[in-house]
Amino acid sequence: MAKLSLFERRRRRVRTALRNRAGGKPRLSVHRTGKHIYAQVIDDAAGKTVASASTLGVKGSGANVDAAKQVGSDIAAAAKKAGVTTVVFDRGGFLFHGRVKALADAAREGGLEF
């Protein structure tokens, strides 16, 4: 079996800790690439995605802090529309700075609690 990359090890460590602390709350999962950033509110108990937002449909650059802030506010609005107000933040294997932090701060300002 091949060794896991540092990113994959960090991602598994973060997700394991979240499962232990989640207490049945939905998970706000963030994924970023060089061109886009994606966010999903996932109900792990039901195995369903409750809400999602990304920079895919946005004209222009999706790989900057301003775009991440927009996705954060979009995901907060979509989650509130679906009836979700409290989540646990899953940063995956990404460090909590830059675009990931901007998305989280915008989601908090939009009304999500975590």
Side-chain angles (χ1 to χ4, degrees):
M1 184 174 191
K3 287 189 176 181
L4 297 173
S5 67
L6 291 176
F7 177 81
E8 191 61 34
R9 287 174 53 195
R10 190 166 52 239
R11 170 186 263 156
R12 286 189 180 187
R13 185 172 59 237
V14 168
R15 294 244 169 100
T16 301
L18 283 180
R19 282 192 197 104
N20 294 336
R21 288 183 289 154
K25 296 178 197 170
R27 172 169 56 104
L28 173 57
S29 178
V30 174
H31 181 73
R32 68 176 174 80
T33 64
K35 292 185 177 184
H36 296 285
I37 189 159
Y38 310 85
Q40 291 181 318
V41 176
I42 304 167
D43 183 5
D44 288 319
K48 302 248 182 207
T49 298
V50 177
S52 65
S54 71
T55 57
L56 282 177
V58 178
K59 190 80 169 160
S61 177
N64 57 28
V65 173
D66 294 332
K69 288 179 185 176
Q70 183 63 42
V71 171
S73 61
D74 290 349
I75 193 69
K80 288 176 83 175
K81 184 177 179 182
V84 175
T85 57
T86 305
V87 296
V88 290
F89 188 72
D90 177 11
R91 62 182 176 84
F94 303 104
L95 299 179
F96 190 79
H97 71 90
R99 291 185 284 159
V100 175
K101 184 177 186 303
L103 188 146
D105 291 340
R108 280 189 184 114
E109 289 174 8
L112 284 181
E113 295 178 18
F114 55 92

